Amino acid sequence: EGLTTLGEGAFCDTKISSIYIPSTIKNVTSYGGPFRNCESLNNVTFGEGITTIPDYLFDECKELKEITIPDTVKTIGSNAFSHCISLTSIDIPYYVKTIDNSAFNDCTSLKNMTIHNPYCNIYDKSNTIPEKTVIKGYFSSTAKHYAITYERDFLSIGTYTIGDVNEDGMIDSSDASMILAEYALIQIGSESSLTEAQRIAADVNRDYSVDSTDASKILAYYAKVSTGQDATLE
């Protein structure tokens, strides 16, 4: 605890088998991956601090079997997990916005990948996600689009409709009320009262937060629709 940076080649070619990366680590070099060629590394735990898993970070970590990506991560860089041939499954949190070029290239044992962000920018290339990986994501999502484009198996983890927070088939003031109640909980540090699909539906402006701006957009939409006007939530 207290370290803030992992520098170039920090653990490269060593025989370490597991590591905890503390939450104080904010910066990881994008060059000369700190864990590149750590062929004995099989377990990595991140604290809530790192925002990017940079290019080639775990390239050639052939024994890496499991890793938990924290919600603070926004980007998975190019070849970040390339040649991690023992990795069998991975869960990509909602806040990850980008999976870059060849991020999971040659991860030959990767059976399942769950992508929780329906808008995640998945690099448009066949080896970004391995051929035999079952991709799991929301029914309306970039994950499904990628799976269809590159003929991957796809499993839906649910559906959502932007604005319909209470999932009653309508977008109205009750949805705005749920958003404001959620926002109030967040402001006092309480746990969310919404499911993941409901949070996605509540994030009308797609800024990865649920707040009064989203509620205002729903109320404006509802006011127009109630008076017979054409309206969108865009």
Side-chain angles (χ1 to χ4, degrees):
E1 294 289 346
L3 290 175
T4 59
T5 301
L6 281 177
E8 180 175 349
F11 298 96
C12 185
D13 297 312
T14 64
K15 301 297 183 182
I16 60 170
S17 60
S18 65
I19 192 166
Y20 168 71
I21 299 172
S23 58
T24 52
I25 294 287
K26 307 294 184 184
N27 302 302
V28 181
T29 181
S30 294
Y31 304 99
F35 299 102
R36 199 170 188 181
N37 297 319
C38 287
E39 294 191 359
S40 299
L41 185 64
N42 61 59
N43 182 271
V44 177
T45 304
F46 285 104
E48 296 278 339
I50 188 173
T51 59
T52 299
I53 297 179
D55 301 351
Y56 294 96
L57 182 62
F58 296 109
D59 182 36
E60 299 282 356
C61 291
K62 295 180 179 179
E63 292 297 319
L64 184 62
K65 294 181 172 66
E66 59 179 294
I67 186 167
T68 300
I69 299 174
D71 286 343
T72 50
V73 170
K74 305 294 188 295
T75 301
I76 297 175
S78 174
N79 291 281
F81 294 94
S82 189
H83 312 295
C84 290
I85 59 175
S86 296
L87 191 65
T88 58
S89 66
I90 193 162
D91 200 79
I92 311 295
Y94 170 68
Y95 296 100
V96 172
K97 299 179 182 180
T98 301
I99 300 174
D100 214 339
N101 183 20
S102 305
F104 295 91
N105 178 43
D106 198 37
C107 290
T108 52
S109 298
L110 189 59
K111 296 179 180 179
N112 298 288
M113 176 184 292
T114 303
I115 302 173
H116 291 270
N117 181 358
Y119 319 119
C120 185
N121 180 21
I122 305 169
Y123 194 89
D124 191 9
K125 189 176 179 181
S126 63
N127 68 347
T128 301
I129 300 173
E131 181 179 357
K132 295 182 179 180
T133 302
V134 176
I135 300 172
K136 301 178 182 180
Y138 283 95
F139 185 79
S140 176
S141 66
T142 54
K144 182 180 179 182
H145 177 75
Y146 181 94
I148 291 172
T149 300
Y150 292 105
E151 299 181 333
R152 306 290 198 264
D153 289 335
F154 176 81
L155 290 176
S156 175
I157 60 174
T159 61
Y160 66 91
T161 300
I162 292 296
D164 184 13
V165 185
N166 62 5
E167 301 171 329
D168 66 351
M170 299 182 291
I171 301 172
D172 53 28
S173 57
S174 61
D175 299 301
S177 295
M178 286 187 69
I179 290 175
L180 292 173
E182 173 74 1
Y183 181 51
L185 286 175
I186 293 170
Q187 292 298 103
I188 61 174
S190 296
E191 291 187 7
S192 172
S193 63
L194 304 179
T195 66
E196 181 177 78
Q198 287 176 323
R199 288 200 304 275
I200 293 170
D203 185 15
V204 178
N205 62 359
R206 298 184 183 182
D207 66 350
Y208 298 90
S209 65
V210 176
D211 54 31
S212 56
T213 301
D214 300 304
S216 296
K217 283 183 172 292
I218 287 178
L219 290 173
Y221 169 87
Y222 180 53
K224 288 185 177 181
V225 170
S226 297
T227 57
Q229 300 178 61
D230 292 332
T232 68
L233 281 170
E234 296 298 325

